[in-house]
Amino acid sequence: MCRNITELRGLAPPASDQEIEAAALQFVRKVSGLRQPPAAAAEAFEAAVAEVAASVHRLLGELPARRTPPATVPPLRRPEVQARLAAASSSSSGTAKQAHAGHTPAAPGS
């Protein structure tokens, strides 16, 4: 079983779309053996993630309520992960501000 996927059933508040999509992405990465698909397979990879996420949405909607919450907190709810995502978001917006100020952004892949 993929150890990076946490239980989403029984969370309070319920699992968000973002949490479900993150779990679906982890699952597809695990079963495909690819962290990033080759360009020729990107569409199939994204479609698989969307299908898994849709299945998880349906499943969570049909399962009975849990008596106790899951033992682990999903990564997107952990303060250290939220801080890392916020830092990445602010640094990428800083790059956009530099580009608007007349700076040339780095070429992709450099």
Side-chain angles (χ1 to χ4, degrees):
M1 187 61 184
C2 186
R3 292 178 285 173
N4 293 336
I5 300 175
T6 57
E7 293 180 37
L8 298 178
R9 180 175 157 244
L11 295 175
S16 67
D17 291 343
Q18 185 181 19
E19 288 169 321
I20 291 171
E21 289 170 15
L25 177 60
Q26 286 294 328
F27 177 78
V28 171
R29 285 177 173 168
K30 183 69 168 188
V31 299
S32 70
L34 299 170
R35 176 149 174 72
Q36 190 69 23
E43 190 174 313
F45 192 87
E46 291 171 14
V49 172
E51 290 172 21
V52 170
S55 294
V56 170
H57 273 286
R58 283 192 305 275
L59 177 64
L60 292 176
E62 295 178 19
L63 290 174
R66 287 181 67 136
R67 293 182 188 175
T68 58
T72 58
V73 176
L76 294 177
R77 294 187 184 195
R78 296 178 189 157
E80 67 275 12
V81 173
Q82 290 176 349
R84 188 177 74 229
L85 292 173
S89 174
S90 66
S91 70
S92 67
S93 66
T95 303
K97 288 177 188 172
Q98 287 176 348
H100 291 297
H103 300 320
T104 306
S110 59

